[in-house]
Amino acid sequence: MALTADKEALIWKTLNETRGKIEPSEYKNYIFGVMFYKFLSEKAQNWLNEVLRGETWADVWQQNPEKSAGFMQRTLGYVIQPGDMFSDWKTAINEDKFNIMMVSDALVHFDQGVSPDAKDNFAGIFTDMDLTSSRLGANAQTRTATLMAWINLMDKMELGEEADILGDLYEYLISMFAANSGAKAGEFYTPHQVSDIMARILTAGRENLEEYSLYDPTMGSGSLLLTTASHMKNAGVRGAIKYYGQELITTTYNLARMNLMMHGVEYNDINLRNADTLNGDWPDGLVQGVDNPRMFDAVMANPPYSQKWDNTNREDDPRFKFGVAPKSKADYAFLLHSLYHLKSDGRMAIVLPHGVLFRGAAEERIRKELLENRHIVAIIGLPEKIFTNTGIPTIIMVLEKNRATDDVLFIDASKGYEKQKNSNKLREEDINKIVQAYLAHHDIDKYAHVATMDEIRENDYNLNIPRYVDTFEEEEPVDSAELLDSMKALSKEENRLTTDLKEMMSDLVVTHQEDQQILDELREVLDYE
């Protein structure tokens, strides 16, 4: 059973009470680290309970540490030694024997015990937990007390090992940390409502595929991958869905690795990489001079908007055969990389700023190539202020590689949202309207238009949404006679009130010179005689 909103809010409130002076953007690294270690520890303990048949892990380990490590490694991809379990930390706290070195040593042991074929999934995943940081406390004693508070907090959550509950909590906390991390939120979070629109579009009509491959070249915390997979029939079936993702920022890459595994994805279905997507092609790509890229059923991305990049010597890069994006704006570089890795029958969705629809020069040439080659399926205009890191309005662009038609569906969804304190939120009805309009693929008055290529050529390949979707609402005609009557009535009321005020002022008795001065000024304003 999923967490209730009340339970989530209580957990967030309790977390904040233990944060102290640590900034939310940094605090999340510790909280997610402790939470993830608890998850791995309980997973290992549950597996041991099934296979040891009454023996203790400590006894088995003592008999043959190397064999015991290999035993756990082959199944789980990692090893947690006796004494290093989360439950061991909790026992030490209860017996007043805990110190911060227990955690530090356990994390070192964990890194040493990762299986060679699981290195990409587990190695260095806890490096963002700096246990020597002065923010945890001025000395080892205070840092130990801080860590004890977090361990006790995680222990009290009593979430169990259910992937849906853990995953829901993790996703909720990511959203809350994003909301409290200012501009840094853009590094790791795409609002679930946007992810859901993209996921439903990507999987529409394909939900029953037995196998499905996903790729997000700017994956952040991995929410787009997970949301897309959740709409597939075989979500949760080992080996059915393969997850590929790339992320430049190491801290965010670690968040994504934790996020996928906390949602129950097995480590051997995960292929994530900590690198610059634009500097070198991955997955696969050029190997010993031969271009052999890996292709995917679905590609999704929410890249950093209009980011600078090194575009020198890119003309021979097969990813950019339609053109090289300007060095001041990498939007089309991310788009072309994503399209390059799409299967011939795949589908792609990417979030971009509006500028990609109408900017000129190199971007105009790329846009023209994409249109003439029938790659752009739809452009969906979203409301402003729905992302935590920017207030600008954005679009979702949907692309495919092999289309029979060359028209483009334009959807103006910029006015469908719920206004909140400092942001706007897409409601369920807004999401449904967008997806249904995409699937219907026909004109909807004031909302959607299917533009022919002739229309687009007439607009010089400018894709600015207002050129295609007219959302203008005519104002009701003004009844001039009624307006005149209203103005006369207002004037009459004004005269009455002025007369009443003058009469009241006539009755005033002034005892101070200052009051007389004020009264004289009022008389002047009212043209009093």
Side-chain angles (χ1 to χ4, degrees):
M1 186 171 65
L3 285 170
T4 64
D6 288 345
K7 179 75 170 177
E8 289 175 337
L10 179 61
I11 290 171
W12 177 248
K13 179 178 179 291
T14 309
L15 283 176
N16 273 321
E17 290 171 355
T18 68
R19 181 163 65 87
K21 297 180 180 179
I22 305 174
E23 289 297 316
S25 58
E26 185 179 1
Y27 180 58
K28 74 179 188 304
N29 300 332
Y30 293 102
I31 290 302
F32 287 143
V34 175
M35 182 188 296
F36 186 59
Y37 193 90
K38 179 176 186 277
F39 164 74
L40 294 177
S41 179
E42 291 180 350
K43 183 176 181 178
Q45 189 62 63
N46 289 337
W47 175 74
L48 288 170
N49 292 342
E50 291 179 5
V51 299
L52 292 184
R53 298 176 184 177
E55 290 189 88
T56 67
W57 181 223
D59 288 342
V60 171
W61 183 274
Q62 189 174 19
Q63 294 168 23
N64 192 328
E66 187 175 341
K67 184 177 179 181
S68 300
F71 178 53
M72 180 179 284
Q73 213 181 55
R74 283 189 296 275
T75 302
L76 302 181
Y78 61 89
V79 178
I80 297 183
Q81 299 182 18
D84 287 350
M85 293 286 185
F86 184 90
S87 58
D88 294 323
W89 298 350
K90 182 60 184 168
T91 298
I93 290 172
N94 293 339
E95 296 176 354
D96 200 22
K97 296 177 181 178
F98 179 83
N99 67 76
I100 199 167
M101 288 307 297
M102 289 184 67
V103 177
S104 181
D105 290 345
L107 298 184
V108 170
H109 296 158
F110 179 89
D111 221 29
Q112 293 170 343
V114 172
S115 170
D117 65 350
K119 283 286 183 186
D120 289 342
N121 302 96
F122 293 111
I125 201 165
F126 296 107
T127 53
D128 298 311
M129 290 178 63
D130 182 3
L131 300 180
T132 63
S133 173
S134 59
R135 290 186 179 87
L136 302 185
N139 52 49
Q141 185 176 359
T142 53
R143 289 195 288 274
T144 294
T146 300
L147 206 54
M148 284 170 57
W150 293 343
I151 292 169
N152 282 330
L153 175 61
M154 290 299 158
D155 185 61
K156 288 176 183 175
M157 287 184 183
E158 297 179 356
L159 296 171
E161 198 195 351
E162 294 180 48
D164 59 339
I165 294 179
L166 282 171
D168 286 350
L169 175 62
Y170 194 92
E171 199 73 25
Y172 167 76
L173 292 179
I174 284 178
S175 71
M176 293 304 293
F177 278 118
N180 287 271
S181 298
K184 291 184 178 181
E187 297 174 357
F188 60 84
Y189 184 64
T190 300
H192 182 73
Q193 295 80 16
V194 178
S195 298
D196 197 44
I197 292 169
M198 297 170 75
R200 289 171 63 179
I201 287 173
L202 287 168
T203 58
R206 306 176 183 196
E207 300 90 343
N208 292 325
L209 289 177
E210 295 297 324
E211 295 181 350
Y212 198 61
S213 58
L214 309 171
Y215 177 44
D216 185 343
T218 58
M219 68 180 171
S221 61
S223 61
L224 269 171
L225 288 167
L226 286 164
T227 306
T228 304
S230 71
H231 287 273
M232 298 300 294
K233 177 189 71 174
N234 283 338
V237 177
R238 185 179 235 178
I241 299 177
K242 295 295 184 183
Y243 301 77
Y244 283 77
Q246 191 159 217
E247 173 57 44
L248 175 62
I249 300 168
T250 303
T251 298
T252 309
Y253 163 70
N254 289 337
L255 280 182
R257 291 194 288 174
M258 293 180 190
N259 197 10
L260 264 65
M261 284 184 270
M262 293 276 275
H263 275 85
V265 182
E266 296 295 336
Y267 79 89
N268 38 16
D269 288 333
I270 300 172
N271 297 274
L272 308 183
R273 185 170 180 248
N274 181 202
D276 188 325
T277 287
L278 299 182
N279 276 351
D281 192 21
W282 183 88
D284 301 333
L286 286 171
V287 179
Q288 296 181 343
V290 178
D291 185 32
N292 186 31
R294 186 178 293 267
M295 305 299 188
F296 300 93
D297 293 301
V299 181
M300 67 292 300
N302 179 20
Y305 308 142
S306 301
Q307 178 178 274
K308 292 181 180 179
W309 74 300
D310 181 7
N311 73 344
T312 55
N313 302 318
R314 302 287 186 175
E315 291 77 13
D316 294 330
D317 190 321
R319 294 176 295 170
F320 309 126
K321 70 175 183 177
F322 290 145
V324 178
K327 64 180 180 181
S328 61
K329 297 177 180 67
D331 303 311
Y332 272 110
F334 285 114
L335 184 153
L336 292 174
H337 170 91
S338 302
L339 182 64
Y340 180 67
H341 284 281
L342 189 65
K343 283 184 179 180
S344 60
D345 60 347
R347 192 176 293 155
M348 167 188 155
I350 183 170
V351 181
L352 295 166
H354 274 256
V356 301
L357 301 178
F358 52 78
R359 291 192 298 242
E363 291 187 305
E364 182 180 1
R365 292 191 291 273
I366 294 171
R367 192 165 60 244
K368 179 180 178 181
E369 289 290 335
L370 290 170
L371 288 163
E372 291 291 355
N373 283 276
R374 304 180 173 184
H375 291 317
I376 299 179
V377 180
I379 293 166
I380 303 165
L382 300 173
E384 62 181 3
K385 296 182 180 179
I386 59 171
F387 288 89
T388 52
N389 61 314
T390 178
I392 66 169
T394 53
I395 64 158
I396 296 173
M397 189 181 292
V398 184
L399 301 98
E400 294 178 1
K401 271 192 173 172
N402 292 308
R403 298 179 64 215
T405 59
D406 60 3
D407 56 35
V408 177
L409 170 66
F410 290 85
I411 298 174
D412 187 344
S414 60
K415 295 179 176 62
Y417 59 86
E418 177 182 77
K419 190 169 182 59
Q420 299 190 324
K421 185 178 179 182
N422 297 314
S423 63
N424 296 322
K425 181 181 179 181
L426 290 164
R427 298 159 297 187
E428 189 63 29
E429 58 262 37
D430 302 320
I431 296 170
N432 289 335
K433 186 176 181 181
I434 291 170
V435 175
Q436 288 164 9
Y438 173 84
L439 295 176
H441 202 85
H442 58 59
D443 286 11
I444 301 172
D445 188 42
K446 309 292 185 186
Y447 190 74
H449 174 62
V450 179
T452 65
M453 187 53 66
D454 287 339
E455 285 181 78
I456 292 169
R457 291 188 185 110
E458 286 174 9
N459 280 299
D460 296 321
Y461 301 96
N462 185 317
L463 301 180
N464 203 15
I465 296 173
R467 288 182 177 237
Y468 303 92
V469 182
D470 179 12
T471 59
F472 178 74
E473 297 284 351
E474 288 189 9
E475 295 184 8
E476 291 186 14
V478 176
D479 186 326
S480 54
E482 184 179 336
L483 178 62
L484 183 59
D485 289 343
S486 178
M487 291 173 66
K488 287 179 179 178
L490 286 172
S491 179
K492 185 177 181 181
E493 179 67 8
E494 182 185 14
N495 291 335
R496 186 186 68 77
L497 291 173
T498 302
T499 301
D500 290 348
L501 183 58
K502 287 178 179 180
E503 290 176 358
M504 285 188 286
M505 290 172 64
S506 300
D507 295 335
L508 288 176
V509 177
V510 179
T511 57
H512 294 88
Q513 186 175 352
E514 294 86 347
D515 293 339
Q516 183 63 54
Q517 184 178 350
I518 294 171
L519 189 59
D520 290 342
E521 289 175 359
L522 278 170
R523 285 170 173 166
E524 186 177 343
V525 170
L526 296 170
D527 193 23
Y528 183 77
E529 295 180 359

